[in-house]
Structures are given as structure tokens and as C-alpha cells.
Amino acid sequence: MSTAVVIVKSTEHQQDLIIDRPAFGVSLQGRIRVPGDKSISHRALMLGAIAQGETYIQGLLLGEDPRSTASCFRALGAEISELNTESVRVRGIGLGNLQEPSDVLNAGNSGTTLRLMLGILASHKGRFFTVTGDSSLRSRPMSRVVKPLQQMGAQIWGRQSGSLAPLAIQGQQLQAIHYKSPIASAQVKSCILLAGLIAEGETTVTEPALSRDHSERMLQAFGAKISVDPETNSVTVSGSAQLHGQNVIVPGDISSAAFWLVAGAVVPGSELCIENVGVNPTRTGILEALAMMGADITLENQRVVAGEPVADLRVKYSQLNSCEIGGDIIPRLIDEIPILAVAAVFAKGTTVIKDAAELRVKESDRIAVMANQLNRLGAKVTELPDGLEITGGTSLIGTEVHSCTDHRIAMSLAIAALNSSGTTTIHGAEAAAISYPDFTTTLQQVCGETN
Ligand code: S3P
């Protein structure tokens, strides 16, 4: 097997990932596992913290984002054991019982931590909280959750009428609402449902298209009174329930598996099996998009683990064709669009991705950053206001690119580098640790450099 050379150069806070593709190419082989699902990890820590009794979490993602959630909820009074993948114990303190911390709560880079936590804090009557995040998070829109919370009676202050962190929250007794969200966002939906847990009455969220439903599934498992109306994409939670600690088993993250699905599909001669991946239908848009492009992906050993569907995913190289995606599939693959753009670069024809303006307010402006960075490698990518147009089939030539401190950009560029001639240096590769701390090790493994 021919191998790419993957070199990591680290200083205290920064990492360069240097990928040197041999002139005769590279093929990827192996059976691998990806870390735990980020969305499910956050929710297990949060629900564990506000439930009564103990929650045990197996397979937690040890990335920086769930670490931010754990440190915030420890500061709010929940007892959370040292984080590990075997079994994390969360001793919850019951709904409405979080303590007022003596310092600012810092969500780091994590939008999920900040937005979901806001819903929980806003309903803690009589307590005062301040929340912030890193420079990326402090520039991301919070009005999408602050406005509906204010409609429920929350008191929240921040820059630009409460739309940017740092935010200050004076907890209140909230009232239930029916919120018709203008965007399909699981963070918005989850924030309001969490606030609704101790609001007076029944809180309903309706979204324009279905976003990931991990909150609904887990709230139900913890004992909340939840009902779902699939016809209208609505979820209702009752304000009277109590939550009880559970055993949660976190499946592998399909958003992390997506890097290997695309790598296996585009690097000639490759075959990879990614074990134990969550295939919740609200997350499998990437499988559908790659199937539309002609990728050879099969689901093996399909099963349900702790309420979430799981499978092993086998991918083999095949020549991909372009596709057009937009509409309801977008929320089901929103985090995979950067790596889907890499797939499109190696596909025949012009791929158009639209209705994805949300990408502009993720950890970076992923539309602008992916277009700029892929074009540096020689790709033909045009920015659209709400997506990307990518003409595939150009040969990529290794050069210096930058993650722009965005984890999914760092990893997407590393996969693009495997099919770029010569040497590619990805600056800011340390960002991958937000959701995938072992990404480089697995990259070296599939390139045949380690066992
Ligand atoms: C997430 C929801 C998504 C996603 C994010 C995680 C979640 O955001 O991009 O990485 O865990 O709820 P939106 O639902 O706001 O698009």
C-alpha cells in the first residue's frame, strides 16, 4: 500500500498538520471508530445535571466542547466525575435547583453549550448568571434563542439588544409559549424545550424543517412529558415533569465519520469500515447526498443502542458525480457541508449546495472559508449567498491553508490534502480537538503509518 506522510508540528497552542502525498498516490484502508456524538454528549451531561439521581454516560466525546459543558454545569452545582469514555457519573441536582455560580460561565467555542444552557438558566427564578465564550462564539447570533426566551418572560441582557455574548440572565418563572421558529435549528428548539421544562403550561416549538431530534429522544428517556407531531415538525413539552437519571450510551458521531466516508469515497483504491456510528434519520443527510453522488457506502450490523439507531458504515472508492442539494435535507447534514464540498471537488460536474445560509454563522463563515481555502488548493468553488457552487475535476496542488480556527474546516482540508499533489500544510489544525481530538492519529492509521 502507498502511504501519505502525515506530520504534526505543535507549539503550545498551535498545530500545523503537514500532509505529503506521494507522487503515486495513496489509498486508505482499515476498520476505525470515531469519537462519541457531540450533540448527544452535551445533552447527556446537561440532562444528567438537572435530573434527580445519577446518570451514567458511556462513550462520551472527550472533545473541548463537551468539556465546556461539563465545566459550566459543575460550576452550577452538579457533580460530574472526571470525563472518560468508559463511564462518566453525573449526580444531578433536580429541575430548578442549579446554584448561582460566583463567576462567569464560559462555553468556550460551543454554540450548543451556550444556547441550550441559556434555556435552562433563564427559568431559574431569583438567580443571576453571566455567560460568555471564545471570540468565535461571542460573534455568533444569540437573538435566535434570546427572543423566544424573552417571550416566555426571561430577562437577558447583552450587546446589540441581547444578541451577542457575554450575556447576563436574571432567572424568572417562565410562561409556556408556542414558538414558530423561522429557522430549522436543533439548538433553538432544544433551548426552548429545556426552558419549557419548568415553565407554566405546555411549550411547543414548530420548525420549518426537521432538525436533529436528540433532545426529544433523551428528554423522553429521562421522564419528561414530550409529544411530537411529525406532520407539522412540532414538539411539545409539559412544564410539570421531573427528570430522572439514566444510563446513556453515546454512539459514534456521524459528523466525524463523514470525514472518513468522503476520504474513502474519493481516494482511489480505498476501503474503510467505520464502526458504531449513530444513524439517527435526522442526521443521515450526508449518507443520502453521497449516495446521490454515486458513493459506494453500505450500512452493516444495524441496531438500536439506548434509543438511537447505530450501524457500521463501509465505504469503497468510486468515481463520484455532482449533485444538487437544498431544502429539507440541509438541517440533516448542516455540519457535513464542508466535507461534502471536498467530495464535490473530486466529483464529475458542477455541484450546487443551496438553502444553507446558516453556514455563515457557524464556528466560522463556512461558506466563505471553504471557498477560499479550497480555491487556494486549485479547486473551482464559488460562494453563493446561501451555499456553494463547486465545479469538480480540477487537480488540487498542495499549498498552505488555514482552518480559520474551525474544527470542521481543519479536518475537511486534511481530507482534501490526501488527494492534492505534493505537500499541504494545514495551519490551525489544533481546532480539530473541539470535536475530534484523535483525528490525526486515525488519519495516520488509515494511511498505514500506525497500527
Ligand atoms: C447542534 C445543532 C446544529 C449543529 C451543531 C450542533 C446541536 O446547530 O450545527 O453543531 O447539538 O443541537 P443548529 O441546529 O443551530 O443548526
Side-chain angles (χ1 to χ4, degrees):
M1 181 179 42
S2 49
T3 61
V5 180
V6 179
I7 298 169
V8 184
K9 278 196 183 161
S10 299
T11 58
E12 202 185 341
H13 297 297
Q14 286 177 344
Q15 194 180 79
D16 286 346
L17 183 58
I18 302 163
I19 298 178
D20 201 355
R21 195 188 78 143
F24 42 86
V26 50
S27 83
L28 311 176
Q29 310 291 332
R31 286 184 86 80
I32 54 177
R33 286 204 163 216
V34 289
D37 187 278
K38 182 158 78 68
S39 295
I40 297 176
S41 295
H42 284 301
R43 287 159 172 79
L45 289 166
M46 289 189 195
L47 293 197
I50 58 172
Q52 285 174 338
E54 292 185 343
T55 287
Y56 289 89
I57 311 168
Q58 191 186 317
L60 187 87
L61 166 64
L62 302 183
E64 287 171 18
D65 273 8
R67 288 188 191 280
S68 296
T69 294
S71 78
C72 289
F73 281 83
R74 282 184 185 125
L76 289 160
E79 230 180 80
I80 302 176
S81 69
E82 201 183 316
L83 302 190
N84 64 76
T85 54
E86 300 299 309
S87 177
V88 172
R89 191 190 67 193
V90 183
R91 196 169 278 162
I93 51 180
L95 268 180
N97 293 333
L98 293 176
Q99 296 158 14
E100 184 177 275
S102 57
D103 205 348
V104 177
L105 296 163
N106 193 332
N109 191 244
S110 175
T112 309
T113 306
L114 189 48
R115 293 192 177 115
L116 271 58
M117 185 167 66
L118 274 175
I120 296 174
L121 301 182
S123 59
H124 275 70
K125 192 175 171 189
R127 269 152 274 180
F128 187 82
F129 310 93
T130 45
V131 296
T132 193
D134 70 6
S135 62
S136 153
L137 190 53
R138 280 184 274 116
S139 69
R140 294 178 65 188
M142 292 301 141
S143 47
R144 57 183 54 201
V145 289
V146 168
K147 281 198 178 132
L149 288 174
Q150 286 171 336
Q151 284 175 28
M152 296 175 85
Q155 288 200 18
I156 302 174
W157 301 268
R159 288 175 297 142
Q160 294 185 19
S161 316
S163 93
L164 293 176
L167 298 170
I169 303 110
Q170 175 71 62
Q172 302 293 325
Q173 172 61 55
L174 302 183
Q175 306 300 318
I177 51 167
H178 182 172
Y179 186 63
K180 293 187 177 135
S181 177
I183 43 172
S185 160
Q187 293 182 354
V188 171
K189 174 174 65 179
S190 304
C191 167
I192 299 164
L193 293 175
L194 289 167
L197 284 174
I198 39 179
E200 275 167 14
E202 292 199 329
T203 296
T204 301
V205 184
T206 300
E207 45 183 356
L210 184 60
S211 65
R212 64 192 69 189
D213 67 356
H214 304 300
S215 294
E216 295 89 302
R217 287 175 187 248
M218 207 183 286
L219 278 167
Q220 194 143 38
F222 274 71
K225 288 188 194 152
I226 284 263
S227 61
V228 176
D229 179 0
E231 297 283 300
T232 57
N233 294 323
S234 300
V235 192
T236 300
V237 69
S238 153
S240 61
Q242 275 303 327
L243 304 184
H244 298 282
Q246 297 295 314
N247 291 332
V248 180
I249 302 175
V250 184
D253 197 330
I254 191 166
S255 299
S256 299
F259 300 108
W260 309 119
L261 291 175
V262 171
V266 303
V267 175
S270 298
E271 178 169 349
L272 295 171
C273 181
I274 311 141
E275 296 174 343
N276 192 42
V277 181
V279 287
N280 177 316
T282 61
R283 299 285 299 280
T284 47
I286 184 66
L287 299 179
E288 290 158 42
L290 289 172
M292 268 190 271
M293 297 174 87
D296 181 352
I297 296 174
T298 44
L299 275 67
E300 299 174 355
N301 194 14
Q302 293 190 54
R303 60 235 186 239
V304 174
V305 179
E308 289 279 349
V310 173
D312 301 336
L313 306 180
R314 182 176 297 279
V315 57
K316 294 184 193 162
Y317 167 78
S318 60
Q319 173 60 56
L320 300 185
N321 297 308
S322 59
C323 71
E324 289 198 12
I325 62 161
D328 286 3
I329 195 174
I330 295 295
R332 299 195 298 112
L333 51 56
I334 189 74
D335 290 341
E336 290 70 72
I337 292 176
I339 189 63
L340 191 61
V342 173
V345 164
F346 300 112
K348 268 191 204 150
T350 298
T351 292
V352 180
I353 300 169
K354 55 186 173 73
D355 303 323
E358 274 294 299
L359 288 179
R360 294 208 181 265
V361 290
K362 293 292 178 189
E363 287 83 330
S364 68
D365 175 344
R366 289 181 174 162
I367 293 177
V369 172
M370 279 312 285
N372 289 338
Q373 300 301 313
L374 287 174
N375 286 341
R376 288 179 64 80
L377 290 165
K380 275 175 81 177
V381 183
T382 310
E383 272 187 59
L384 305 175
D386 62 345
L388 293 162
E389 187 178 288
I390 301 152
T391 300
T394 56
S395 305
L396 300 199
I397 302 167
T399 185
E400 295 189 37
V401 288
H402 208 291
S403 73
C404 299
T405 70
D406 184 327
H407 55 129
R408 301 205 194 279
I409 304 284
M411 295 183 275
S412 299
L413 293 173
I415 302 306
L418 293 174
N419 253 3
S420 304
S421 60
T423 304
T424 305
T425 301
I426 299 136
H427 298 294
E430 72 284 351
I434 290 290
S435 62
Y436 201 156
D438 292 334
F439 175 77
T440 308
T441 310
T442 305
L443 180 63
Q444 287 168 329
Q445 182 192 334
V446 297
C447 288
E449 291 183 20
T450 54
N451 292 316

